[in-house]
Amino acid sequence: MEWLTENKIPIGKWAKGGVDWLIENAGFVFDWFSLVLESVIGALLWCLQAPHSLVVVVFTAALAWWIKRSWIFPAFVTGVLLLIVNQGYWEETTETLSLVIASAIVCMVVGVPLGVFAAHHPRVSAFLRPILDLMQTIPTFVYLIPALILFGLGMVPGLIATVIFALPAPIRLTELGVKSTPRPLIEAGISFGATPRQLLWKIELPYAFPNIMAGLTQTIMLSLSMVVIAALVGADGLGVPTLRALNTVNIAKGFEVGVVIVLIAIVLDRFLRNDEDNQPR
């Protein structure tokens, strides 16, 4: 068996060669892409940090009341945000939210069209399936290295790593929702002379909307789970104090940050959850 190990297939060298080729021939593309993503994150961060924290709390509570039409959820949101301010993690929380929102936007813009396309093309679906499995199972640190080389330190490589990890969720759930559209609905649309575009926008997407929203919720939850990983490549947010607590074995700080992350996840989940999701269609 020694001959098998001595004749090692140079997978790592091939990967390094591919990254080097991208740097030499497409470096300007990654620079432009990094600039665009930094602008998006910066704009989101400005919206969350420019106003006073209490102004953001009041606005978020008002938005919660407008969405749910109940005082219970706004009261909960207000209590959570005031607790975050009280614990001194407001700035880190806004940085994490900007990264999560930017990741969700990128994932949905890319994932929903891909999911629809895969639902209508079985060969594309079969081609994407192992790629999506790879994206969610390969260790995050493996693609953090080329992301760090191509985009440098900061929020952008953290965003790229988060998108790679979370993107399969909206693709798969959108594909599932479109494929689950009852055949009688499709046949009824065809019988009334609907075009493929009208079938998509008037029948398939409305029926798949709960699945698409579930994909958005899963994207946000997966993005929040990446905050510590993103901190390793220079991304600001709640991952930074988490790493500090880990390095110093600071139980108090680690528990505080963990509670803040969990509360943020609960608030975002309740914002996006439709109260009628569990009701029969």
Side-chain angles (χ1 to χ4, degrees), residues 205-275:
L205 285 182
Y207 191 86
F209 184 74
N211 291 78
I212 295 174
M213 290 302 298
L216 176 58
T217 302
Q218 287 298 309
T219 298
I220 290 177
M221 297 302 108
L222 291 172
S223 299
L224 276 173
S225 70
M226 290 288 290
V227 293
V228 178
I229 303 298
L232 293 174
V233 290
D236 298 323
L238 293 169
V240 175
T242 304
L243 287 178
R244 290 174 182 169
L246 180 62
N247 292 331
T248 59
V249 197
N250 191 330
I251 298 176
K253 179 180 285 293
F255 189 78
E256 290 172 358
V257 180
V259 168
V260 170
I261 294 175
V262 169
L263 291 176
I264 289 297
I266 293 174
V267 168
L268 292 176
D269 177 71
R270 297 304 184 271
F271 258 113
L272 297 173
R273 178 179 295 179
N274 188 350
D275 295 334

Side-chain angles (χ1 to χ4, degrees), residues 7 28 42 99 105 112 154 159 210 212 214 222 240 273:
N7 297 277
F28 65 95
L99 180 62
I105 292 173
V112 172
L159 173 63
I212 295 174
L222 291 172
V240 175
R273 178 179 295 179

Side-chain angles (χ1 to χ4, degrees), residues 130-269:
I131 297 177
L132 299 180
D133 292 337
L134 179 66
M135 291 169 67
Q136 286 197 308
T137 55
I138 188 171
T140 310
F141 299 101
V142 173
Y143 51 79
L144 269 182
I145 299 172
L148 187 61
I149 295 174
L150 294 172
F151 297 101
L153 285 171
M155 299 286 275
V156 175
L159 173 63
I160 297 300
T162 302
V163 168
I164 292 174
F165 182 67
L167 184 59
I171 295 177
R172 283 177 163 152
L173 286 170
T174 300
E175 179 184 359
L176 176 63
V178 173
K179 283 184 175 179
S180 300
T181 306
R183 189 63 191 173
L185 286 179
I186 302 294
E187 293 175 351
I190 295 174
S191 66
F192 280 99
T195 63
R197 182 185 297 271
Q198 290 173 329
L199 287 175
L200 174 63
W201 287 99
K202 300 294 184 180
I203 296 178
E204 291 177 335
L205 285 182
Y207 191 86
F209 184 74
N211 291 78
I212 295 174
M213 290 302 298
L216 176 58
T217 302
Q218 287 298 309
T219 298
I220 290 177
M221 297 302 108
L222 291 172
S223 299
L224 276 173
S225 70
M226 290 288 290
V227 293
V228 178
I229 303 298
L232 293 174
V233 290
D236 298 323
L238 293 169
V240 175
T242 304
L243 287 178
R244 290 174 182 169
L246 180 62
N247 292 331
T248 59
V249 197
N250 191 330
I251 298 176
K253 179 180 285 293
F255 189 78
E256 290 172 358
V257 180
V259 168
V260 170
I261 294 175
V262 169
L263 291 176
I264 289 297
I266 293 174
V267 168
L268 292 176
D269 177 71

Side-chain angles (χ1 to χ4, degrees), residues 78-98:
T78 303
V80 167
L81 296 181
L82 290 178
L83 177 63
I84 293 173
V85 175
N86 172 262
Q87 294 298 304
Y89 293 108
W90 179 256
E91 183 177 353
E92 291 84 354
T93 300
T94 55
E95 291 167 346
T96 294
L97 283 175
S98 65

Side-chain angles (χ1 to χ4, degrees), residues 8 38 84 116 130 141 149 189 258 278:
K8 180 180 177 180
E38 285 179 355
I84 293 173
V116 172
F141 299 101
I149 295 174
N278 297 325

Side-chain angles (χ1 to χ4, degrees), residues 42-136:
L44 292 170
L45 197 56
W46 182 86
C47 292
L48 292 172
Q49 289 187 345
H52 192 275
S53 58
L54 294 181
V55 175
V56 178
V57 170
V58 172
F59 175 80
T60 307
L63 181 63
W65 180 86
W66 182 74
I67 292 175
K68 298 297 183 181
R69 300 295 178 178
S70 170
W71 289 106
I72 299 176
F73 181 59
F76 174 73
V77 171
T78 303
V80 167
L81 296 181
L82 290 178
L83 177 63
I84 293 173
V85 175
N86 172 262
Q87 294 298 304
Y89 293 108
W90 179 256
E91 183 177 353
E92 291 84 354
T93 300
T94 55
E95 291 167 346
T96 294
L97 283 175
S98 65
L99 180 62
V100 169
I101 294 173
S103 303
I105 292 173
V106 174
C107 286
M108 298 308 290
V109 168
V110 176
V112 172
L114 271 178
V116 172
F117 191 71
H120 290 100
H121 298 82
R123 291 184 179 179
V124 175
S125 177
F127 174 77
L128 286 177
R129 195 173 299 118
I131 297 177
L132 299 180
D133 292 337
L134 179 66
M135 291 169 67
Q136 286 197 308

